[in-house]
């Protein structure tokens, strides 16, 4: 029983990271109806931004301070938000009126471009690097249960950011404009909504979330390297589809579900090598029996 609870706690931590990444996927899909496959690479860039920022912040605020960690996360998120908006401006905006397949292939191209460019020795190099410790790590023991401070931090940060996203989308003018653009871009434009600015903002917000997810993922990972975003990005994409892509709570639910199942599968002898197969199996089942996802709504497409 205690082992099950321990695995559940570990799964919630991992699932929270997937949920944060899935939120970025689902926000962009909600507005533009396409999957930004470069999102997982923005996650990697966020981790590397924190990797280079941490020593500078440490000099100013001292090692492993709370304020220092918050500053590193904010700066990395801001850098990735700018990168996300730049990607949208250069790669996706010129193709906005083209077929979705064209944009989808471009997204894959952007992802490969970032990965191979960053692997060049003149940029980041392909070697794995140790991620700096942003906060002191503590372990809390409850009987035979051991919970790390990072395992507590990750779900708390995810919940806070989900609450912030909900407030932005539901209670602000920008959020109202985002919803208007997601329903009908042309009508929103006629009503005076600055569509380009709203789409850029959506990309920036999603990329900032990816940066936070990248930092939290790196705090638990053995190291960071230019391809580190591929696996978590893929699983987060599955999580977004399972939860109902375009739906914010659905992205969180899907992320937690995939994270918990992956952790339990990893702890069962004979199943640990089939974690990806299990994730894709769940995706296929969901698509077969509930194509819109667990919390998604089926829409009728006009022809």
């Amino acid at each position: 029983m205690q082992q099950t609870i321990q695995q559940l706690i570990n799964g919630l931590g991992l699932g929270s990271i997937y949920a944060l990444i899935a939120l970025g996927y689902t926000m962009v899909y909600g507005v533009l109806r396409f999957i930004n496959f470069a999102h997982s690479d923005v996650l990697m860039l966020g981790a590397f931004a924190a990797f280079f920022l941490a020593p500078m912040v440490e000099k100013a605020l001292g090692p492993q301070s709370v304020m220092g960690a918050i500053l590193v996360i904010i700066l990395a998120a801001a850098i990735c938000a700018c990168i996300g908006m730049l990607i949208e401006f250069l790669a996706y905006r010129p193709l906005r009126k083209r077929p979705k397949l064209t944009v989808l292939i471009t997204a894959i191209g952007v992802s490969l471009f970032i990965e191979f460019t960053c692997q060049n020795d003149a940029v980041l190099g392909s070697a794995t690097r140790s991620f700096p410790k942003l906060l002191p790590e503590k372990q809390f023991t409850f009987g035979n249960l051991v919970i790390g401070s990072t395992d507590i931090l990750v779900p708390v940060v995810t919940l806070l950011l989900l609450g912030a996203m909900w407030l932005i989308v539901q209670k602000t003018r920008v959020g109202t404009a985002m919803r208007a653009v997601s329903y009908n871009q042309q009508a929103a434009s006629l009503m005076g909504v600055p569509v380009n600015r709203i789409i850029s903002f959506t990309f920036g917000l999603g990329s900032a979330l990816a940066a936070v997810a990248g930092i939290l993922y790196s705090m638990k990972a053995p190291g960071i390297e230019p391809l580190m975003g591929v696996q978590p990005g893929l699983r987060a994409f599955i999580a977004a589809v399972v939860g109902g892509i375009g739906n914010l709570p659905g992205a969180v639910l899907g992320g937690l579900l995939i994270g918990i199942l992956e952790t339990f599968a990893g702890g069962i002898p004979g199943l640990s090598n089939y974690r990806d197969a299990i994730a894709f199996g769940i995706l296929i089942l969901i698509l077969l029996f509930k194509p819109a996802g667990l919390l998604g709504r089926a829409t009728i497409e006009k022809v």
Side-chain angles (χ1 to χ4, degrees), residues 3-13 260 263-264:
Q3 190 179 357
T4 304
I5 297 173
Q6 184 73 61
Q7 290 288 68
L8 184 63
I9 292 167
N10 296 337
L12 283 173
I260 290 170
T263 305
F264 274 98

Side-chain angles (χ1 to χ4, degrees), residues 44-45 113-121 123-126 226:
M44 174 271 294
L45 293 173
F113 174 78
I114 294 173
E115 288 170 10
F116 284 96
T117 302
C118 289
Q119 285 186 83
N120 191 303
D121 289 335
V123 186
L124 296 176
S126 57

Side-chain angles (χ1 to χ4, degrees), residues 109 210 272:
S272 57

